[in-house]
Amino acid sequence: LTQESAAEISVFEESISHIKLSTGVNNMTEMIIKMCQHDERQAELLRDNENAEARLNAAKKAFFDDQEELEKIKTNGIGNTDLDRHYVASINNSIQSEQSECKIMRSKNERLEVLLLGLRQGCIRLYDRLLPYYSALMGEGEPELNDIDSTNAKKAAKDTEKIMK
């Protein structure tokens, strides 16, 4: 073999090893099969892409049509009904007022929960301080309590009520 032939064979072997690494195949038969199926896979992917684009375009068109219809309803109302801009505005206002009432109630509930948990912690501290004197005052053994570290507000309130009795 000449040096030119050896160089060409070396370049060819490097190319084949690079192709093997890129495709993840180990022998020439698998490589040939993979190369033959490449066109089929590419055509399948193109068909899938075209189908996805067609569905996307149809969804966009339906969305824009629905938006236009909604704007018509907002400005003109619906046929024989009294649904017009004023009615839609009153519905929107009532929704906003309900949302603000919901926020107020949620904040009240959060404050009450904090208050109940604080009361429970205070009772637990008081219980811990009075526990050494319990048997001397009541003449019995230590009282039995449920899980003291509960974060459930209702359960904490019931447990606190039991402690205070």
Side-chain angles (χ1 to χ4, degrees), residues 1-19:
L1 294 176
T2 64
Q3 286 183 341
E4 273 183 31
S5 299
E8 287 178 12
I9 291 174
S10 172
V11 168
F12 180 71
E13 286 177 353
E14 285 178 26
S15 299
I16 288 178
S17 65
H18 180 70
I19 291 171

PDB file of all heavy atoms in Angstrom, residues 1-19:
ATOM      1  N   LEU A   1       0.829  -1.178   0.000  1.00  0.00           N
ATOM      2  CA  LEU A   1       0.000   0.000   0.000  1.00  0.00           C
ATOM      3  C   LEU A   1       0.875   1.244   0.000  1.00  0.00           C
ATOM      4  O   LEU A   1       1.892   1.325   0.672  1.00  0.00           O
ATOM      5  CB  LEU A   1      -0.894   0.027   1.239  1.00  0.00           C
ATOM      6  CG  LEU A   1      -1.968  -1.055   1.349  1.00  0.00           C
ATOM      7  CD1 LEU A   1      -2.656  -0.909   2.681  1.00  0.00           C
ATOM      8  CD2 LEU A   1      -2.948  -0.987   0.234  1.00  0.00           C
ATOM      9  N   THR A   2       0.382   2.204  -0.696  1.00  0.00           N
ATOM     10  CA  THR A   2       1.122   3.457  -0.747  1.00  0.00           C
ATOM     11  C   THR A   2       0.674   4.344   0.399  1.00  0.00           C
ATOM     12  O   THR A   2      -0.306   4.074   1.097  1.00  0.00           O
ATOM     13  CB  THR A   2       0.858   4.173  -2.086  1.00  0.00           C
ATOM     14  OG1 THR A   2      -0.518   4.503  -2.142  1.00  0.00           O
ATOM     15  CG2 THR A   2       1.248   3.303  -3.253  1.00  0.00           C
ATOM     16  N   GLN A   3       1.442   5.408   0.555  1.00  0.00           N
ATOM     17  CA  GLN A   3       1.104   6.337   1.638  1.00  0.00           C
ATOM     18  C   GLN A   3      -0.238   7.022   1.369  1.00  0.00           C
ATOM     19  O   GLN A   3      -1.002   7.292   2.295  1.00  0.00           O
ATOM     20  CB  GLN A   3       2.200   7.380   1.792  1.00  0.00           C
ATOM     21  CG  GLN A   3       3.442   6.844   2.442  1.00  0.00           C
ATOM     22  CD  GLN A   3       4.483   7.937   2.640  1.00  0.00           C
ATOM     23  OE1 GLN A   3       4.411   8.983   2.000  1.00  0.00           O
ATOM     24  NE2 GLN A   3       5.440   7.660   3.498  1.00  0.00           N
ATOM     25  N   GLU A   4      -0.533   7.289   0.109  1.00  0.00           N
ATOM     26  CA  GLU A   4      -1.821   7.909  -0.239  1.00  0.00           C
ATOM     27  C   GLU A   4      -2.977   6.989   0.117  1.00  0.00           C
ATOM     28  O   GLU A   4      -3.985   7.416   0.691  1.00  0.00           O
ATOM     29  CB  GLU A   4      -1.869   8.216  -1.745  1.00  0.00           C
ATOM     30  CG  GLU A   4      -1.289   9.532  -2.123  1.00  0.00           C
ATOM     31  CD  GLU A   4      -1.444   9.774  -3.627  1.00  0.00           C
ATOM     32  OE1 GLU A   4      -2.419   9.288  -4.234  1.00  0.00           O
ATOM     33  OE2 GLU A   4      -0.591  10.469  -4.167  1.00  0.00           O
ATOM     34  N   SER A   5      -2.842   5.709  -0.227  1.00  0.00           N
ATOM     35  CA  SER A   5      -3.899   4.735   0.082  1.00  0.00           C
ATOM     36  C   SER A   5      -4.064   4.595   1.595  1.00  0.00           C
ATOM     37  O   SER A   5      -5.191   4.505   2.107  1.00  0.00           O
ATOM     38  CB  SER A   5      -3.553   3.369  -0.507  1.00  0.00           C
ATOM     39  OG  SER A   5      -3.451   3.456  -1.900  1.00  0.00           O
ATOM     40  N   ALA A   6      -2.954   4.564   2.307  1.00  0.00           N
ATOM     41  CA  ALA A   6      -3.007   4.435   3.766  1.00  0.00           C
ATOM     42  C   ALA A   6      -3.695   5.662   4.389  1.00  0.00           C
ATOM     43  O   ALA A   6      -4.489   5.533   5.328  1.00  0.00           O
ATOM     44  CB  ALA A   6      -1.609   4.249   4.345  1.00  0.00           C
ATOM     45  N   ALA A   7      -3.411   6.850   3.859  1.00  0.00           N
ATOM     46  CA  ALA A   7      -4.033   8.072   4.364  1.00  0.00           C
ATOM     47  C   ALA A   7      -5.532   8.054   4.081  1.00  0.00           C
ATOM     48  O   ALA A   7      -6.345   8.444   4.937  1.00  0.00           O
ATOM     49  CB  ALA A   7      -3.378   9.305   3.746  1.00  0.00           C
ATOM     50  N   GLU A   8      -5.915   7.620   2.875  1.00  0.00           N
ATOM     51  CA  GLU A   8      -7.332   7.544   2.530  1.00  0.00           C
ATOM     52  C   GLU A   8      -8.062   6.535   3.419  1.00  0.00           C
ATOM     53  O   GLU A   8      -9.178   6.795   3.891  1.00  0.00           O
ATOM     54  CB  GLU A   8      -7.509   7.156   1.061  1.00  0.00           C
ATOM     55  CG  GLU A   8      -7.170   8.268   0.090  1.00  0.00           C
ATOM     56  CD  GLU A   8      -7.310   7.836  -1.371  1.00  0.00           C
ATOM     57  OE1 GLU A   8      -7.878   6.749  -1.625  1.00  0.00           O
ATOM     58  OE2 GLU A   8      -6.860   8.589  -2.237  1.00  0.00           O
ATOM     59  N   ILE A   9      -7.426   5.393   3.651  1.00  0.00           N
ATOM     60  CA  ILE A   9      -8.030   4.375   4.524  1.00  0.00           C
ATOM     61  C   ILE A   9      -8.166   4.925   5.952  1.00  0.00           C
ATOM     62  O   ILE A   9      -9.176   4.721   6.620  1.00  0.00           O
ATOM     63  CB  ILE A   9      -7.196   3.072   4.499  1.00  0.00           C
ATOM     64  CG1 ILE A   9      -7.336   2.406   3.120  1.00  0.00           C
ATOM     65  CG2 ILE A   9      -7.621   2.138   5.611  1.00  0.00           C
ATOM     66  CD1 ILE A   9      -6.445   1.204   2.926  1.00  0.00           C
ATOM     67  N   SER A  10      -7.168   5.647   6.412  1.00  0.00           N
ATOM     68  CA  SER A  10      -7.208   6.247   7.752  1.00  0.00           C
ATOM     69  C   SER A  10      -8.354   7.253   7.866  1.00  0.00           C
ATOM     70  O   SER A  10      -9.097   7.252   8.857  1.00  0.00           O
ATOM     71  CB  SER A  10      -5.869   6.921   8.058  1.00  0.00           C
ATOM     72  OG  SER A  10      -5.948   7.644   9.239  1.00  0.00           O
ATOM     73  N   VAL A  11      -8.509   8.109   6.855  1.00  0.00           N
ATOM     74  CA  VAL A  11      -9.604   9.088   6.845  1.00  0.00           C
ATOM     75  C   VAL A  11     -10.943   8.351   6.816  1.00  0.00           C
ATOM     76  O   VAL A  11     -11.887   8.715   7.534  1.00  0.00           O
ATOM     77  CB  VAL A  11      -9.466  10.048   5.641  1.00  0.00           C
ATOM     78  CG1 VAL A  11     -10.726  10.873   5.449  1.00  0.00           C
ATOM     79  CG2 VAL A  11      -8.250  10.941   5.811  1.00  0.00           C
ATOM     80  N   PHE A  12     -11.018   7.292   5.995  1.00  0.00           N
ATOM     81  CA  PHE A  12     -12.247   6.507   5.901  1.00  0.00           C
ATOM     82  C   PHE A  12     -12.596   5.849   7.247  1.00  0.00           C
ATOM     83  O   PHE A  12     -13.739   5.879   7.687  1.00  0.00           O
ATOM     84  CB  PHE A  12     -12.084   5.441   4.795  1.00  0.00           C
ATOM     85  CG  PHE A  12     -13.284   4.579   4.610  1.00  0.00           C
ATOM     86  CD1 PHE A  12     -14.446   5.089   4.044  1.00  0.00           C
ATOM     87  CD2 PHE A  12     -13.271   3.246   5.008  1.00  0.00           C
ATOM     88  CE1 PHE A  12     -15.551   4.293   3.872  1.00  0.00           C
ATOM     89  CE2 PHE A  12     -14.377   2.454   4.838  1.00  0.00           C
ATOM     90  CZ  PHE A  12     -15.522   2.960   4.275  1.00  0.00           C
ATOM     91  N   GLU A  13     -11.611   5.281   7.924  1.00  0.00           N
ATOM     92  CA  GLU A  13     -11.844   4.644   9.225  1.00  0.00           C
ATOM     93  C   GLU A  13     -12.269   5.671  10.274  1.00  0.00           C
ATOM     94  O   GLU A  13     -13.139   5.404  11.112  1.00  0.00           O
ATOM     95  CB  GLU A  13     -10.591   3.897   9.678  1.00  0.00           C
ATOM     96  CG  GLU A  13     -10.359   2.622   8.906  1.00  0.00           C
ATOM     97  CD  GLU A  13      -9.068   1.922   9.314  1.00  0.00           C
ATOM     98  OE1 GLU A  13      -8.290   2.507  10.102  1.00  0.00           O
ATOM     99  OE2 GLU A  13      -8.853   0.802   8.845  1.00  0.00           O
ATOM    100  N   GLU A  14     -11.663   6.860  10.242  1.00  0.00           N
ATOM    101  CA  GLU A  14     -12.057   7.921  11.174  1.00  0.00           C
ATOM    102  C   GLU A  14     -13.515   8.340  10.924  1.00  0.00           C
ATOM    103  O   GLU A  14     -14.279   8.559  11.862  1.00  0.00           O
ATOM    104  CB  GLU A  14     -11.133   9.133  11.037  1.00  0.00           C
ATOM    105  CG  GLU A  14      -9.772   8.943  11.639  1.00  0.00           C
ATOM    106  CD  GLU A  14      -8.864  10.154  11.444  1.00  0.00           C
ATOM    107  OE1 GLU A  14      -9.402  11.281  11.300  1.00  0.00           O
ATOM    108  OE2 GLU A  14      -7.654   9.972  11.417  1.00  0.00           O
ATOM    109  N   SER A  15     -13.867   8.433   9.646  1.00  0.00           N
ATOM    110  CA  SER A  15     -15.244   8.804   9.297  1.00  0.00           C
ATOM    111  C   SER A  15     -16.228   7.758   9.798  1.00  0.00           C
ATOM    112  O   SER A  15     -17.285   8.093  10.355  1.00  0.00           O
ATOM    113  CB  SER A  15     -15.395   8.967   7.790  1.00  0.00           C
ATOM    114  OG  SER A  15     -14.553   9.993   7.315  1.00  0.00           O
ATOM    115  N   ILE A  16     -15.889   6.495   9.601  1.00  0.00           N
ATOM    116  CA  ILE A  16     -16.775   5.418  10.045  1.00  0.00           C
ATOM    117  C   ILE A  16     -16.891   5.425  11.568  1.00  0.00           C
ATOM    118  O   ILE A  16     -17.998   5.276  12.118  1.00  0.00           O
ATOM    119  CB  ILE A  16     -16.283   4.051   9.520  1.00  0.00           C
ATOM    120  CG1 ILE A  16     -16.527   3.966   8.012  1.00  0.00           C
ATOM    121  CG2 ILE A  16     -16.981   2.906  10.248  1.00  0.00           C
ATOM    122  CD1 ILE A  16     -16.057   2.702   7.379  1.00  0.00           C
ATOM    123  N   SER A  17     -15.781   5.618  12.272  1.00  0.00           N
ATOM    124  CA  SER A  17     -15.862   5.644  13.747  1.00  0.00           C
ATOM    125  C   SER A  17     -16.674   6.853  14.222  1.00  0.00           C
ATOM    126  O   SER A  17     -17.434   6.755  15.194  1.00  0.00           O
ATOM    127  CB  SER A  17     -14.461   5.647  14.365  1.00  0.00           C
ATOM    128  OG  SER A  17     -13.770   6.833  14.035  1.00  0.00           O
ATOM    129  N   HIS A  18     -16.550   7.978  13.543  1.00  0.00           N
ATOM    130  CA  HIS A  18     -17.351   9.154  13.889  1.00  0.00           C
ATOM    131  C   HIS A  18     -18.840   8.885  13.646  1.00  0.00           C
ATOM    132  O   HIS A  18     -19.691   9.248  14.468  1.00  0.00           O
ATOM    133  CB  HIS A  18     -16.883  10.370  13.073  1.00  0.00           C
ATOM    134  CG  HIS A  18     -17.645  11.621  13.372  1.00  0.00           C
ATOM    135  ND1 HIS A  18     -17.529  12.290  14.565  1.00  0.00           N
ATOM    136  CD2 HIS A  18     -18.556  12.310  12.641  1.00  0.00           C
ATOM    137  CE1 HIS A  18     -18.326  13.339  14.558  1.00  0.00           C
ATOM    138  NE2 HIS A  18     -18.962  13.378  13.387  1.00  0.00           N
ATOM    139  N   ILE A  19     -19.163   8.231  12.536  1.00  0.00           N
ATOM    140  CA  ILE A  19     -20.552   7.881  12.231  1.00  0.00           C
ATOM    141  C   ILE A  19     -21.086   6.908  13.277  1.00  0.00           C
ATOM    142  O   ILE A  19     -22.225   7.038  13.748  1.00  0.00           O
ATOM    143  CB  ILE A  19     -20.682   7.298  10.801  1.00  0.00           C
ATOM    144  CG1 ILE A  19     -20.423   8.395   9.765  1.00  0.00           C
ATOM    145  CG2 ILE A  19     -22.047   6.660  10.585  1.00  0.00           C
ATOM    146  CD1 ILE A  19     -20.325   7.890   8.351  1.00  0.00           C
TER     147      ILE A  19
END
